[in-house]
Every structure is written in structure tokens, then in C-alpha cells.
Amino acid sequence: MKRKPLLSTNNAKTIKGAKLGYITYILYMSPFKLNSEKKNVCSHASKGCVESCLVGSGFGGMFTSVMAGRVARTEYFLKNRIEFLNQVKTEIEKALKKNKNKAIVTIRLNGTSDIPYENLRVFEGNKNIFEMFPKVKFYDYTKNYTRFDKPLPKNYTLTFSRSETNHDKAMEILARGFNVAMVFDKTPTKFEGYKVVNGDKDDLRFKDPKNVIVGLRYKKMTGKGADNSKAFTSGFAIKTNNVITLPKNKKVKQTLRKAA
């Protein structure tokens, strides 16, 4: 049976990277437990994250066919992981060949999921997908803080993602020298003493300076019945005007005023 492609380049933010000479291929799945087996592909997702997920914004929120495709990819991964990863490998090989001398290929495997691909050693020689392409830049966002407790592949850039339930953990990871993505209504230049870079200029997280906050503007959900207020009432997204600016590395328990 011929399978549909797993990787795509049709994303507004990754297209911005084309101006810098990069083409990003992203793997989009259905997040959290949106699959027939009710298996969680976003192990550390908070309630606010689930309610405000990017899967409900953009094309995923506007077209049921797009969402159906993401569900199908998730089902494929859950039912036949080895075949799935071998197809990913084949598609990366084709992308490298297609774009040779045209653009630098980068790969983001967790477009709307949070799977630790570094642990999936299904290839010959007990290798993971990153080790199969040591010269290719891979990157992702994650809410799974345990992924930072062991060395990651050298060609894999991982940015921690803050939510309403892991704020202290996010600040701890920043203090350890990693980067953390935070969602704001308006991107500030500083937050709790850390520099904030504009993560909406492009999606090339491996180009970010070290030990910064990646500011992401909240993307409104477009699906039927979407309630965008929950992102802020839950604390998942931050209202910039409600931020109390604190000295860098000062230990605090609460740094945000209650959202208006």
C-alpha cells in the first residue's frame, strides 16, 4: 500500500526561513490523546496546552481534511513504528536530493507532538533518526523536561516550552543555560531578567543565541467553537502588560499578576 507523505513544507513560519536559505520539513501529528488508542503523544502537556493547542490554529483548525491527515499519521506511528520511521528516513533522503545546491534542509519531527525520537533506535547499528543524518539540522520544542537530563544528539536543538504548570521548571532550565519558549500576547524584549528573542521571525531555533527566552505570539485557534480566552485565563499564555519584571535568576514562586 502506497503511503501518503509524512513530512511537509507548507507552514507560514517555516517559509520565512527560505529567505535565509533554509527549507524546513515538518511532521504534523494529532496531539495529546487524539487517536483511536487514546495514547498520549504529548506526555507533559498541561490542561492549558491541550485547550490552546496549535493543532486548532491555521490550516489544522480550518480544514477537517488536514486534521484527518494528522490523525492518520499518528495512527500509523502507533501501529507500525519501524515502518513509519523508515518512511521518514526515505523522505529525508529525497528532500536532501531534491534541494541539493538549492537550500539547506532542516527537519522538525514534532510539529504538534512531543515524542522523544532520540530514544527510538530502530535503525541498523542501534541508531536513531538523528544519527542517520549527522549533517542535517533537526530541532523541536518540548515540555518534557527529562529530555534535558542527558546529552542530546549534536545535530538536534531542543527548546523547552513553558506552560501554566511548569513555570518554575522553565526558569530552572533557563538557569541551566538552555532556551525556553514562552507564549505572550505581545512579545516583550525581556522577561524576568532574560533576553527575549522574537520566535515568530522564523522557526529556525538552532540559530537562536544560547540561554534566551523565545517569545512566541499566541496563535488564535480558528476551529468551530474555539475559545481563545482560555489560553490567558489558564496562564498558558502570558499577558505582557501583567508581567512583573524581576532580576535575572532571582528565586521566586510567582511572577505574574492575575490576568485581567
Side-chain angles (χ1 to χ4, degrees):
M1 179 180 68
K2 187 177 180 180
R3 296 281 189 178
K4 291 183 178 180
L6 297 173
L7 304 175
S8 68
T9 58
N10 189 18
N11 179 280
K13 195 163 72 167
T14 59
I15 288 172
K16 296 177 182 179
K19 296 179 181 179
L20 301 174
Y22 295 87
I23 182 167
T24 300
Y25 286 77
I26 302 185
L27 174 54
Y28 286 109
M29 290 188 180
S30 54
F32 195 49
K33 298 180 181 179
L34 297 179
N35 57 78
S36 63
E37 298 183 30
K38 300 301 179 186
K39 289 188 177 180
N40 191 350
V41 297
C42 301
S43 62
H44 288 64
S46 66
K47 185 174 184 292
C49 178
V50 173
E51 292 177 341
S52 310
C53 184
L54 280 174
V55 76
S57 66
F59 292 137
M62 291 186 285
F63 302 109
T64 55
S65 60
V66 173
M67 188 60 205
R70 294 177 181 181
V71 172
R73 286 189 283 275
T74 307
E75 302 283 352
Y76 179 17
F77 172 80
L78 294 173
K79 290 178 171 60
N80 198 334
R81 190 167 300 180
I82 294 177
E83 182 183 332
F84 180 95
L85 285 167
N86 273 286
Q87 182 175 333
V88 170
K89 175 177 173 290
T90 298
E91 289 188 26
I92 293 175
E93 290 170 342
K94 289 181 179 179
L96 290 171
K97 185 177 180 180
K98 178 181 179 180
N99 293 283
K100 187 176 181 180
N101 299 324
K102 296 178 182 178
I104 301 170
V105 172
T106 62
I107 309 293
R108 182 177 164 192
L109 296 176
N110 283 308
T112 41
S113 55
D114 196 351
I115 297 166
Y117 285 96
E118 64 271 20
N119 296 336
L120 304 183
R121 298 184 171 278
V122 305
F123 301 104
E124 186 177 355
N126 196 36
K127 292 182 178 181
N128 57 39
I129 190 69
F130 310 113
E131 292 166 330
M132 297 302 292
F133 300 96
K135 294 183 180 180
V136 174
K137 285 286 188 182
F138 292 79
Y139 68 98
D140 274 320
Y141 301 85
T142 184
K143 286 186 173 65
N144 184 351
Y145 53 84
T146 66
R147 297 178 72 187
F148 295 91
D149 292 338
K150 58 184 179 181
L152 291 163
K154 292 182 180 179
N155 58 332
Y156 188 35
T157 297
L158 200 56
T159 301
F160 188 70
S161 185
R162 177 222 175 256
S163 74
E164 79 281 9
T165 60
N166 68 10
H167 182 79
D168 288 346
K169 183 61 68 174
M171 300 311 297
E172 175 189 315
I173 287 175
L174 268 171
R176 289 169 58 189
F178 296 104
N179 290 359
V180 174
M182 299 188 181
V183 180
F184 299 90
D185 58 344
K186 297 178 182 178
T187 306
T189 56
K190 274 196 169 185
F191 179 76
E192 294 200 16
Y194 287 90
K195 179 181 178 180
V196 179
V197 299
N198 185 355
D200 290 312
K201 288 180 67 177
D202 58 62
D203 198 49
L204 306 174
R205 297 282 68 84
F206 51 87
K207 293 181 69 66
D208 293 333
K210 302 297 183 184
N211 199 209
V212 297
I213 293 170
V214 179
L216 299 170
R217 184 174 48 81
Y218 175 66
K219 312 301 187 298
K220 290 185 177 181
M221 294 184 291
T222 54
K224 185 178 180 180
D227 183 355
N228 288 288
S229 66
K230 289 182 178 180
F232 296 96
T233 56
S234 69
F236 169 76
I238 301 168
K239 283 194 173 183
T240 307
N241 290 338
N242 291 347
V243 170
I244 302 173
T245 302
L246 297 168
K248 184 176 181 178
N249 295 333
K250 185 173 181 179
K251 190 174 181 180
V252 291
K253 285 294 182 182
Q254 181 65 292
T255 62
L256 302 177
R257 297 189 184 100
K258 185 177 180 181

